[in-house]
Amino acid sequence: MKFLKKLAFLFYLIVLFPFLASAASPSSISVNIAPENPAPNENTEIILSSYSYNLDSVLISWSVDGKAVSSGIGKKSFSATAPEAGKQTTISASISLPDGTIQKTIILRPAVMLLLWQGTDSYVPPFYRGKAMPGPGSEIKVVGMPEIKSGSQTVNPRNMVYTWKEDYTNMPAASGYGKNFFTYVNDYLDDINNINVVASTVDQRYFSERSIDIGTTEPKILFYKDDSNLGTLWEKTISNGHQIPGSEIIRAMPYFISPKDIRIPSLVFAWYINNFRVDVPIYNKNVLPVQAGAGVSGSSSIRLEISNMDKIFESATKQINVQF
């Protein structure tokens, strides 16, 4: 009896085990989708690959939502158009291998993602309608606004899970449920940072992904005229060749420099007239009163240098020539 059991076990090892071990496994076929999370009606490429089998020599058949659409030897790639938002498309690939047939199923559930960003500590003048651009070493906030539909209902962005990456590195502390924004400080050595986010529903059925490259902007200075009755004339800047009739007040406004409050002492304003340093009150350091002497005419150069004592790589300079 023991002999028969040993004989049966040897038969299993010699005959059946190699057959079972060589059976085709779905894990031996990899599926790559580009883009991984397509937008509605976006063209999508599906590519099959394997380290175990030569897919160029086997029959591969493709179907969309149960309808056969394409087949052929070595047909390991397939192009499809993602459906509209809130709908899904099921794509199946049947790979006829020598060890058996493998089925791979891909479900396309498109979604839309919008990324908004700005420098949170970047200064812009009052009533400025543009975006606060980040300078070197600025803090930047990125907000993800996904639009994912489940059937006819739009999923609330606050009820999604967000996975953030900065320069292709996962940021687990900034990721999680309801975390639809990401804040970081750019490195003055990097001109551009790549920010990526994937928003998914809690059940992991729907995804939306978006990447964006965010660059830095060098701070700049613009000069404006202060009018005693109308205040600062924001509609027109003072440029080279500006005529000063007797006396005038020049107001300097830095753009995209940090911190957001330009009154703090770490921002140093250095005014020069004809290369001579001019002292101005520290509480009004971005304002320069200018007055020509009686009977004096000609031109002078006015220069302002702004430096940040806390950020040695952040500075701005502006120089113009004015006529008296």
Side-chain angles (χ1 to χ4, degrees):
M1 188 68 179
K2 291 183 178 180
F3 174 75
L4 293 176
K5 289 183 178 180
K6 289 182 179 180
L7 185 63
F9 180 70
L10 289 174
F11 176 80
Y12 170 80
L13 290 178
I14 297 172
V15 180
L16 295 180
F17 182 77
F19 175 77
L20 294 174
S22 62
S25 171
S27 61
S28 63
I29 306 294
S30 299
V31 178
N32 296 312
I33 306 173
E36 187 175 354
N37 296 293
N41 303 311
E42 184 176 12
N43 186 56
T44 306
E45 188 78 9
I46 301 171
I47 301 175
L48 303 177
S49 61
S50 175
Y51 291 106
S52 304
Y53 301 97
N54 181 10
L55 299 183
D56 293 321
S57 61
V58 300
L59 177 65
I60 302 176
S61 302
W62 296 88
S63 64
V64 177
D65 291 331
K67 182 180 179 181
V69 294
S70 179
S71 66
I73 301 295
K75 193 173 181 57
K76 56 188 178 183
S77 64
F78 182 76
S79 295
T81 301
E84 299 178 356
K87 298 182 179 180
Q88 72 177 39
T89 296
T90 302
I91 300 174
S92 297
S94 178
I95 306 101
S96 300
L97 299 171
D99 303 329
T101 301
I102 291 179
Q103 296 285 340
K104 302 293 286 189
T105 301
I106 304 97
I107 299 177
L108 301 181
R109 298 187 180 99
V112 178
M113 171 80 78
L114 178 65
L115 292 180
L116 302 179
W117 61 273
Q118 70 172 9
T120 58
D121 64 345
S122 181
Y123 180 80
V124 291
F127 311 112
Y128 178 69
R129 295 183 180 180
K131 178 186 294 186
M133 304 297 290
S138 291
E139 182 182 80
I140 301 170
K141 183 176 183 179
V142 186
V143 179
M145 302 180 66
E147 183 180 342
I148 296 178
K149 287 187 175 181
S150 177
S152 60
Q153 300 294 321
T154 300
V155 183
N156 189 334
R158 296 181 180 178
N159 299 332
M160 296 184 191
V161 179
Y162 296 83
T163 303
W164 291 93
K165 291 183 181 180
E166 179 185 350
D167 293 330
Y168 313 102
T169 301
N170 288 320
M171 309 301 291
S175 304
Y177 179 78
K179 295 184 177 181
N180 68 325
F181 68 91
F182 174 61
T183 303
Y184 71 101
V185 177
N186 63 7
D187 194 322
Y188 63 87
L189 295 176
D190 296 332
D191 294 330
I192 295 177
N193 295 104
N194 179 270
I195 305 300
N196 173 274
V197 62
V198 176
S200 62
T201 54
V202 176
D203 58 9
Q204 300 292 297
R205 290 190 63 202
Y206 296 93
F207 295 84
S208 182
E209 182 178 9
R210 188 70 183 270
S211 293
I212 189 171
D213 291 327
I214 301 176
T216 59
T217 301
E218 290 296 326
K220 65 178 181 179
I221 304 170
L222 294 180
F223 293 147
Y224 299 91
K225 177 181 177 180
D226 266 8
D227 186 88
S228 57
N229 296 319
L230 301 176
T232 304
L233 304 181
W234 299 108
E235 64 274 13
K236 185 178 180 181
T237 60
I238 296 176
S239 56
N240 267 324
H242 176 71
Q243 188 73 35
I244 296 180
S247 64
E248 195 166 282
I249 297 177
I250 297 176
R251 181 175 295 272
M253 298 306 298
Y255 287 73
F256 318 136
I257 199 167
S258 62
K260 200 169 186 177
D261 187 353
I262 63 173
R263 297 171 298 178
I264 69 169
S266 61
L267 277 183
V268 178
F269 286 63
W271 289 93
Y272 297 86
I273 296 180
N274 293 332
N275 294 323
F276 289 98
R277 179 73 179 265
V278 179
D279 293 329
V280 297
I282 192 171
Y283 58 84
N284 218 11
K285 55 187 177 182
N286 66 320
V287 173
L288 176 69
V290 179
Q291 183 169 358
V296 175
S297 62
S299 65
S300 295
S301 66
I302 296 177
R303 185 173 83 254
L304 172 62
E305 297 177 357
I306 303 177
S307 58
N308 190 331
M309 298 178 64
D310 295 332
K311 299 179 180 179
I312 61 174
F313 292 96
E314 187 176 59
S315 62
T317 302
K318 176 74 172 181
Q319 178 171 316
I320 62 171
N321 293 321
V322 295
Q323 305 293 325
F324 293 97

